[in-house]
PDB file of all heavy atoms in Angstrom:
ATOM      1  N   GLN X 178      -6.875 -29.945   7.348  1.00 98.00           N
ATOM      2  CA  GLN X 178      -7.361 -28.585   7.072  1.00 98.00           C
ATOM      3  C   GLN X 178      -8.791 -28.614   6.522  1.00 98.00           C
ATOM      4  O   GLN X 178      -9.601 -27.738   6.824  1.00 98.00           O
ATOM      5  CB  GLN X 178      -6.414 -27.856   6.111  1.00 98.00           C
ATOM      6  CG  GLN X 178      -6.760 -26.387   5.901  1.00 98.00           C
ATOM      7  CD  GLN X 178      -6.790 -25.575   7.187  1.00 98.00           C
ATOM      8  OE1 GLN X 178      -6.099 -25.899   8.165  1.00 98.00           O
ATOM      9  NE2 GLN X 178      -7.606 -24.539   7.223  1.00 98.00           N
ATOM     10  N   ASN X 181     -10.795 -28.765   9.443  1.00 98.00           N
ATOM     11  CA  ASN X 181     -10.778 -27.453  10.116  1.00 98.00           C
ATOM     12  C   ASN X 181     -11.811 -26.509   9.501  1.00 98.00           C
ATOM     13  O   ASN X 181     -12.482 -25.752  10.200  1.00 98.00           O
ATOM     14  CB  ASN X 181      -9.413 -26.761   9.962  1.00 98.00           C
ATOM     15  CG  ASN X 181      -8.330 -27.398  10.805  1.00 98.00           C
ATOM     16  OD1 ASN X 181      -8.618 -28.196  11.692  1.00 98.00           O
ATOM     17  ND2 ASN X 181      -7.077 -27.056  10.525  1.00 98.00           N
ATOM     18  N   GLU X 182     -11.907 -26.557   8.177  1.00 97.00           N
ATOM     19  CA  GLU X 182     -12.854 -25.666   7.492  1.00 97.00           C
ATOM     20  C   GLU X 182     -14.297 -26.080   7.813  1.00 97.00           C
ATOM     21  O   GLU X 182     -15.169 -25.234   7.976  1.00 97.00           O
ATOM     22  CB  GLU X 182     -12.616 -25.671   5.981  1.00 97.00           C
ATOM     23  CG  GLU X 182     -11.213 -25.246   5.540  1.00 97.00           C
ATOM     24  CD  GLU X 182     -10.911 -23.761   5.739  1.00 97.00           C
ATOM     25  OE1 GLU X 182     -11.864 -22.976   5.919  1.00 97.00           O
ATOM     26  OE2 GLU X 182      -9.726 -23.395   5.714  1.00 97.00           O
ATOM     27  N   ALA X 185     -14.963 -24.789  11.175  1.00 97.00           N
ATOM     28  CA  ALA X 185     -15.213 -23.343  11.112  1.00 97.00           C
ATOM     29  C   ALA X 185     -16.666 -23.088  10.691  1.00 97.00           C
ATOM     30  O   ALA X 185     -17.347 -22.223  11.236  1.00 97.00           O
ATOM     31  CB  ALA X 185     -14.259 -22.683  10.114  1.00 97.00           C
ATOM     32  N   SER X 186     -17.130 -23.878   9.743  1.00 96.00           N
ATOM     33  CA  SER X 186     -18.509 -23.728   9.279  1.00 96.00           C
ATOM     34  C   SER X 186     -19.492 -23.975  10.433  1.00 96.00           C
ATOM     35  O   SER X 186     -20.458 -23.223  10.614  1.00 96.00           O
ATOM     36  CB  SER X 186     -18.767 -24.702   8.128  1.00 96.00           C
ATOM     37  OG  SER X 186     -20.076 -24.565   7.677  1.00 96.00           O
ATOM     38  N   TYR X 189     -19.501 -20.945  12.826  1.00 96.00           N
ATOM     39  CA  TYR X 189     -20.293 -19.817  12.320  1.00 96.00           C
ATOM     40  C   TYR X 189     -21.791 -20.131  12.366  1.00 96.00           C
ATOM     41  O   TYR X 189     -22.601 -19.253  12.650  1.00 96.00           O
ATOM     42  CB  TYR X 189     -19.853 -19.436  10.905  1.00 96.00           C
ATOM     43  CG  TYR X 189     -18.591 -18.592  10.903  1.00 96.00           C
ATOM     44  CD1 TYR X 189     -17.362 -19.122  10.525  1.00 96.00           C
ATOM     45  CD2 TYR X 189     -18.636 -17.272  11.316  1.00 96.00           C
ATOM     46  CE1 TYR X 189     -16.208 -18.346  10.543  1.00 96.00           C
ATOM     47  CE2 TYR X 189     -17.490 -16.489  11.341  1.00 96.00           C
ATOM     48  CZ  TYR X 189     -16.279 -17.029  10.954  1.00 96.00           C
ATOM     49  OH  TYR X 189     -15.145 -16.262  10.993  1.00 96.00           O
ATOM     50  N   HIS X 211     -21.483 -16.779   6.179  1.00 92.00           N
ATOM     51  CA  HIS X 211     -20.089 -17.147   6.354  1.00 92.00           C
ATOM     52  C   HIS X 211     -19.928 -18.649   6.613  1.00 92.00           C
ATOM     53  O   HIS X 211     -18.932 -19.258   6.207  1.00 92.00           O
ATOM     54  CB  HIS X 211     -19.445 -16.329   7.468  1.00 92.00           C
ATOM     55  CG  HIS X 211     -17.979 -16.226   7.273  1.00 92.00           C
ATOM     56  ND1 HIS X 211     -17.397 -15.219   6.553  1.00 92.00           N
ATOM     57  CD2 HIS X 211     -16.983 -17.054   7.631  1.00 92.00           C
ATOM     58  CE1 HIS X 211     -16.105 -15.439   6.484  1.00 92.00           C
ATOM     59  NE2 HIS X 211     -15.824 -16.540   7.142  1.00 92.00           N
ATOM     60  N   GLU X 214     -19.627 -20.116   3.383  1.00 93.00           N
ATOM     61  CA  GLU X 214     -18.307 -19.860   2.781  1.00 93.00           C
ATOM     62  C   GLU X 214     -17.277 -20.867   3.299  1.00 93.00           C
ATOM     63  O   GLU X 214     -16.460 -21.385   2.551  1.00 93.00           O
ATOM     64  CB  GLU X 214     -17.818 -18.447   3.110  1.00 93.00           C
ATOM     65  CG  GLU X 214     -18.489 -17.386   2.288  1.00 93.00           C
ATOM     66  CD  GLU X 214     -17.628 -16.138   2.128  1.00 93.00           C
ATOM     67  OE1 GLU X 214     -16.399 -16.215   2.293  1.00 93.00           O
ATOM     68  OE2 GLU X 214     -18.210 -15.088   1.840  1.00 93.00           O
ATOM     69  N   GLU X 215     -17.342 -21.124   4.613  1.00 96.00           N
ATOM     70  CA  GLU X 215     -16.383 -22.072   5.199  1.00 96.00           C
ATOM     71  C   GLU X 215     -16.593 -23.482   4.634  1.00 96.00           C
ATOM     72  O   GLU X 215     -15.644 -24.215   4.400  1.00 96.00           O
ATOM     73  CB  GLU X 215     -16.492 -22.084   6.726  1.00 96.00           C
ATOM     74  CG  GLU X 215     -16.147 -20.762   7.402  1.00 96.00           C
ATOM     75  CD  GLU X 215     -14.694 -20.338   7.214  1.00 96.00           C
ATOM     76  OE1 GLU X 215     -13.880 -21.101   6.666  1.00 96.00           O
ATOM     77  OE2 GLU X 215     -14.372 -19.210   7.612  1.00 96.00           O
ATOM     78  N   ARG X 216     -17.845 -23.793   4.401  1.00 96.00           N
ATOM     79  CA  ARG X 216     -18.130 -25.098   3.790  1.00 96.00           C
ATOM     80  C   ARG X 216     -17.561 -25.155   2.370  1.00 96.00           C
ATOM     81  O   ARG X 216     -17.027 -26.171   1.947  1.00 96.00           O
ATOM     82  CB  ARG X 216     -19.652 -25.338   3.776  1.00 96.00           C
ATOM     83  CG  ARG X 216     -19.979 -26.786   3.685  1.00 96.00           C
ATOM     84  CD  ARG X 216     -21.431 -27.099   3.605  1.00 96.00           C
ATOM     85  NE  ARG X 216     -21.606 -28.240   2.715  1.00 96.00           N
ATOM     86  CZ  ARG X 216     -21.295 -29.483   3.015  1.00 96.00           C
ATOM     87  NH1 ARG X 216     -20.824 -29.763   4.213  1.00 96.00           N
ATOM     88  NH2 ARG X 216     -21.457 -30.447   2.139  1.00 96.00           N
ATOM     89  N   ASN X 217     -17.646 -24.034   1.670  1.00 95.00           N
ATOM     90  CA  ASN X 217     -17.064 -23.984   0.324  1.00 95.00           C
ATOM     91  C   ASN X 217     -15.543 -24.177   0.385  1.00 95.00           C
ATOM     92  O   ASN X 217     -14.957 -24.812  -0.491  1.00 95.00           O
ATOM     93  CB  ASN X 217     -17.382 -22.649  -0.355  1.00 95.00           C
ATOM     94  CG  ASN X 217     -18.847 -22.519  -0.694  1.00 95.00           C
ATOM     95  OD1 ASN X 217     -19.584 -23.493  -0.730  1.00 95.00           O
ATOM     96  ND2 ASN X 217     -19.296 -21.293  -0.932  1.00 95.00           N
ATOM     97  N   HIS X 218     -14.931 -23.620   1.433  1.00 96.00           N
ATOM     98  CA  HIS X 218     -13.481 -23.799   1.587  1.00 96.00           C
ATOM     99  C   HIS X 218     -13.166 -25.288   1.781  1.00 96.00           C
ATOM    100  O   HIS X 218     -12.204 -25.814   1.242  1.00 96.00           O
ATOM    101  CB  HIS X 218     -12.951 -23.019   2.798  1.00 96.00           C
ATOM    102  CG  HIS X 218     -13.116 -21.531   2.666  1.00 96.00           C
ATOM    103  ND1 HIS X 218     -12.875 -20.659   3.699  1.00 96.00           N
ATOM    104  CD2 HIS X 218     -13.502 -20.763   1.614  1.00 96.00           C
ATOM    105  CE1 HIS X 218     -13.108 -19.425   3.279  1.00 96.00           C
ATOM    106  NE2 HIS X 218     -13.493 -19.459   2.023  1.00 96.00           N
ATOM    107  N   MET X 219     -14.010 -25.934   2.591  1.00 97.00           N
ATOM    108  CA  MET X 219     -13.826 -27.369   2.822  1.00 97.00           C
ATOM    109  C   MET X 219     -13.890 -28.120   1.488  1.00 97.00           C
ATOM    110  O   MET X 219     -13.042 -28.957   1.179  1.00 97.00           O
ATOM    111  CB  MET X 219     -14.929 -27.864   3.773  1.00 97.00           C
ATOM    112  CG  MET X 219     -14.902 -29.348   4.007  1.00 97.00           C
ATOM    113  SD  MET X 219     -16.485 -29.975   4.607  1.00 97.00           S
ATOM    114  CE  MET X 219     -17.433 -30.032   3.103  1.00 97.00           C
ATOM    115  N   VAL X 255     -14.788 -14.375  16.471  1.00 96.00           N
ATOM    116  CA  VAL X 255     -14.659 -14.503  15.013  1.00 96.00           C
ATOM    117  C   VAL X 255     -13.228 -14.124  14.607  1.00 96.00           C
ATOM    118  O   VAL X 255     -12.572 -14.835  13.843  1.00 96.00           O
ATOM    119  CB  VAL X 255     -15.704 -13.614  14.284  1.00 96.00           C
ATOM    120  CG1 VAL X 255     -15.334 -13.395  12.827  1.00 96.00           C
ATOM    121  CG2 VAL X 255     -17.096 -14.249  14.386  1.00 96.00           C
ATOM    122  N   HIS X 258     -10.784 -16.757  15.778  1.00 97.00           N
ATOM    123  CA  HIS X 258     -10.902 -17.953  14.966  1.00 97.00           C
ATOM    124  C   HIS X 258     -10.168 -17.773  13.634  1.00 97.00           C
ATOM    125  O   HIS X 258      -9.443 -18.660  13.181  1.00 97.00           O
ATOM    126  CB  HIS X 258     -12.363 -18.325  14.702  1.00 97.00           C
ATOM    127  CG  HIS X 258     -12.435 -19.372  13.658  1.00 97.00           C
ATOM    128  ND1 HIS X 258     -12.060 -20.670  13.905  1.00 97.00           N
ATOM    129  CD2 HIS X 258     -12.687 -19.290  12.344  1.00 97.00           C
ATOM    130  CE1 HIS X 258     -12.112 -21.340  12.784  1.00 97.00           C
ATOM    131  NE2 HIS X 258     -12.491 -20.529  11.817  1.00 97.00           N
ATOM    132  N   GLU X 259     -10.356 -16.617  13.025  1.00 97.00           N
ATOM    133  CA  GLU X 259      -9.728 -16.391  11.722  1.00 97.00           C
ATOM    134  C   GLU X 259      -8.198 -16.354  11.826  1.00 97.00           C
ATOM    135  O   GLU X 259      -7.509 -16.871  10.955  1.00 97.00           O
ATOM    136  CB  GLU X 259     -10.270 -15.106  11.077  1.00 97.00           C
ATOM    137  CG  GLU X 259     -11.699 -15.223  10.585  1.00 97.00           C
ATOM    138  CD  GLU X 259     -11.935 -16.384   9.618  1.00 97.00           C
ATOM    139  OE1 GLU X 259     -10.993 -16.835   8.931  1.00 97.00           O
ATOM    140  OE2 GLU X 259     -13.081 -16.865   9.574  1.00 97.00           O
ATOM    141  N   THR X 260      -7.675 -15.749  12.893  1.00 97.00           N
ATOM    142  CA  THR X 260      -6.209 -15.713  13.017  1.00 97.00           C
ATOM    143  C   THR X 260      -5.658 -17.120  13.286  1.00 97.00           C
ATOM    144  O   THR X 260      -4.590 -17.475  12.791  1.00 97.00           O
ATOM    145  CB  THR X 260      -5.747 -14.718  14.109  1.00 97.00           C
ATOM    146  OG1 THR X 260      -6.425 -15.011  15.320  1.00 97.00           O
ATOM    147  CG2 THR X 260      -6.006 -13.279  13.719  1.00 97.00           C
ATOM    148  N   ASP X 261      -6.403 -17.931  14.027  1.00 97.00           N
ATOM    149  CA  ASP X 261      -5.972 -19.328  14.249  1.00 97.00           C
ATOM    150  C   ASP X 261      -5.940 -20.075  12.917  1.00 97.00           C
ATOM    151  O   ASP X 261      -5.026 -20.839  12.629  1.00 97.00           O
ATOM    152  CB  ASP X 261      -6.948 -20.067  15.183  1.00 97.00           C
ATOM    153  CG  ASP X 261      -6.750 -19.673  16.628  1.00 97.00           C
ATOM    154  OD1 ASP X 261      -5.756 -18.980  16.927  1.00 97.00           O
ATOM    155  OD2 ASP X 261      -7.609 -20.030  17.464  1.00 97.00           O
ATOM    156  N   ASN X 262      -6.977 -19.827  12.119  1.00 97.00           N
ATOM    157  CA  ASN X 262      -7.033 -20.528  10.835  1.00 97.00           C
ATOM    158  C   ASN X 262      -5.903 -20.071   9.913  1.00 97.00           C
ATOM    159  O   ASN X 262      -5.348 -20.872   9.171  1.00 97.00           O
ATOM    160  CB  ASN X 262      -8.400 -20.341  10.167  1.00 97.00           C
ATOM    161  CG  ASN X 262      -8.638 -21.392   9.108  1.00 97.00           C
ATOM    162  OD1 ASN X 262      -8.241 -22.549   9.271  1.00 97.00           O
ATOM    163  ND2 ASN X 262      -9.229 -21.012   8.002  1.00 97.00           N
ATOM    164  N   THR X 263      -5.566 -18.802   9.996  1.00 98.00           N
ATOM    165  CA  THR X 263      -4.452 -18.293   9.177  1.00 98.00           C
ATOM    166  C   THR X 263      -3.166 -19.060   9.526  1.00 98.00           C
ATOM    167  O   THR X 263      -2.410 -19.454   8.633  1.00 98.00           O
ATOM    168  CB  THR X 263      -4.253 -16.777   9.415  1.00 98.00           C
ATOM    169  OG1 THR X 263      -5.456 -16.110   9.031  1.00 98.00           O
ATOM    170  CG2 THR X 263      -3.096 -16.225   8.609  1.00 98.00           C
ATOM    171  N   ILE X 266      -3.203 -22.354   7.859  1.00 98.00           N
ATOM    172  CA  ILE X 266      -2.966 -22.203   6.409  1.00 98.00           C
ATOM    173  C   ILE X 266      -1.464 -21.993   6.161  1.00 98.00           C
ATOM    174  O   ILE X 266      -0.881 -22.608   5.255  1.00 98.00           O
ATOM    175  CB  ILE X 266      -3.777 -20.986   5.858  1.00 98.00           C
ATOM    176  CG1 ILE X 266      -5.285 -21.218   5.974  1.00 98.00           C
ATOM    177  CG2 ILE X 266      -3.359 -20.640   4.423  1.00 98.00           C
ATOM    178  CD1 ILE X 266      -5.877 -22.251   5.065  1.00 98.00           C
ATOM    179  N   TRP X 287      -4.429 -19.184  -2.711  1.00 97.00           N
ATOM    180  CA  TRP X 287      -5.823 -18.716  -2.696  1.00 97.00           C
ATOM    181  C   TRP X 287      -6.274 -18.530  -1.236  1.00 97.00           C
ATOM    182  O   TRP X 287      -6.917 -17.543  -0.881  1.00 97.00           O
ATOM    183  CB  TRP X 287      -6.731 -19.735  -3.400  1.00 97.00           C
ATOM    184  CG  TRP X 287      -8.152 -19.255  -3.493  1.00 97.00           C
ATOM    185  CD1 TRP X 287      -8.719 -18.533  -4.502  1.00 97.00           C
ATOM    186  CD2 TRP X 287      -9.181 -19.440  -2.498  1.00 97.00           C
ATOM    187  NE1 TRP X 287     -10.027 -18.260  -4.202  1.00 97.00           N
ATOM    188  CE2 TRP X 287     -10.339 -18.797  -2.981  1.00 97.00           C
ATOM    189  CE3 TRP X 287      -9.241 -20.073  -1.255  1.00 97.00           C
ATOM    190  CZ2 TRP X 287     -11.546 -18.779  -2.271  1.00 97.00           C
ATOM    191  CZ3 TRP X 287     -10.427 -20.047  -0.540  1.00 97.00           C
ATOM    192  CH2 TRP X 287     -11.560 -19.406  -1.053  1.00 97.00           C
ATOM    193  N   PHE X 288      -5.896 -19.487  -0.387  1.00 98.00           N
ATOM    194  CA  PHE X 288      -6.298 -19.421   1.021  1.00 98.00           C
ATOM    195  C   PHE X 288      -5.561 -18.302   1.763  1.00 98.00           C
ATOM    196  O   PHE X 288      -6.118 -17.695   2.668  1.00 98.00           O
ATOM    197  CB  PHE X 288      -6.066 -20.782   1.700  1.00 98.00           C
ATOM    198  CG  PHE X 288      -7.110 -21.798   1.309  1.00 98.00           C
ATOM    199  CD1 PHE X 288      -6.927 -22.619   0.208  1.00 98.00           C
ATOM    200  CD2 PHE X 288      -8.294 -21.918   2.018  1.00 98.00           C
ATOM    201  CE1 PHE X 288      -7.896 -23.526  -0.180  1.00 98.00           C
ATOM    202  CE2 PHE X 288      -9.271 -22.830   1.649  1.00 98.00           C
ATOM    203  CZ  PHE X 288      -9.079 -23.640   0.542  1.00 98.00           C
ATOM    204  N   GLU X 291      -7.467 -15.276   0.888  1.00 96.00           N
ATOM    205  CA  GLU X 291      -8.783 -15.341   1.535  1.00 96.00           C
ATOM    206  C   GLU X 291      -8.667 -14.968   3.015  1.00 96.00           C
ATOM    207  O   GLU X 291      -9.506 -14.248   3.548  1.00 96.00           O
ATOM    208  CB  GLU X 291      -9.349 -16.767   1.374  1.00 96.00           C
ATOM    209  CG  GLU X 291     -10.736 -16.980   1.916  1.00 96.00           C
ATOM    210  CD  GLU X 291     -11.832 -16.255   1.144  1.00 96.00           C
ATOM    211  OE1 GLU X 291     -11.553 -15.718   0.056  1.00 96.00           O
ATOM    212  OE2 GLU X 291     -12.955 -16.209   1.661  1.00 96.00           O
ATOM    213  N   GLN X 292      -7.607 -15.463   3.661  1.00 96.00           N
ATOM    214  CA  GLN X 292      -7.439 -15.148   5.088  1.00 96.00           C
ATOM    215  C   GLN X 292      -7.179 -13.665   5.301  1.00 96.00           C
ATOM    216  O   GLN X 292      -7.621 -13.101   6.293  1.00 96.00           O
ATOM    217  CB  GLN X 292      -6.327 -15.998   5.710  1.00 96.00           C
ATOM    218  CG  GLN X 292      -6.710 -17.444   5.938  1.00 96.00           C
ATOM    219  CD  GLN X 292      -8.015 -17.626   6.703  1.00 96.00           C
ATOM    220  OE1 GLN X 292      -8.961 -18.194   6.187  1.00 96.00           O
ATOM    221  NE2 GLN X 292      -8.089 -17.110   7.926  1.00 96.00           N
ATOM    222  N   GLU X 295     -10.566 -12.176   5.182  1.00 94.00           N
ATOM    223  CA  GLU X 295     -11.399 -12.528   6.329  1.00 94.00           C
ATOM    224  C   GLU X 295     -10.917 -11.835   7.599  1.00 94.00           C
ATOM    225  O   GLU X 295     -11.714 -11.402   8.419  1.00 94.00           O
ATOM    226  CB  GLU X 295     -11.446 -14.047   6.497  1.00 94.00           C
ATOM    227  CG  GLU X 295     -12.098 -14.680   5.284  1.00 94.00           C
ATOM    228  CD  GLU X 295     -12.708 -16.030   5.540  1.00 94.00           C
ATOM    229  OE1 GLU X 295     -12.390 -16.654   6.556  1.00 94.00           O
ATOM    230  OE2 GLU X 295     -13.501 -16.456   4.700  1.00 94.00           O
ATOM    231  N   GLU X 296      -9.603 -11.741   7.749  1.00 96.00           N
ATOM    232  CA  GLU X 296      -9.086 -11.036   8.924  1.00 96.00           C
ATOM    233  C   GLU X 296      -9.444  -9.548   8.843  1.00 96.00           C
ATOM    234  O   GLU X 296      -9.806  -8.934   9.846  1.00 96.00           O
ATOM    235  CB  GLU X 296      -7.568 -11.197   9.029  1.00 96.00           C
ATOM    236  CG  GLU X 296      -7.159 -12.581   9.515  1.00 96.00           C
ATOM    237  CD  GLU X 296      -5.660 -12.702   9.720  1.00 96.00           C
ATOM    238  OE1 GLU X 296      -4.933 -11.710   9.555  1.00 96.00           O
ATOM    239  OE2 GLU X 296      -5.218 -13.824  10.053  1.00 96.00           O
TER     240      GLU X 296
HETATM  241 FE1  OFO B 612     -11.935 -20.809   5.751  1.00 59.99          FE
HETATM  242  O1  OFO B 612     -11.644 -19.057   6.054  1.00 59.99           O
HETATM  243 FE2  OFO B 612     -12.354 -18.433   7.661  1.00 59.99          FE
HETATM  244  O2  OFO B 612     -11.742 -19.675   8.774  1.00 59.99           O
END
Side-chain angles (χ1 to χ4, degrees):
Q178 187 57 28
N181 287 347
E182 301 290 343
S186 180
Y189 280 106
H211 205 90
E214 283 206 21
E215 297 296 353
R216 202 183 144 73
N217 291 343
H218 296 171
M219 176 201 78
V255 163
H258 169 72
E259 288 305 334
T260 53
D261 283 350
N262 199 37
T263 299
I266 295 290
W287 184 90
F288 285 90
E291 183 68 10
Q292 286 308 118
E295 297 204 344
E296 285 184 4

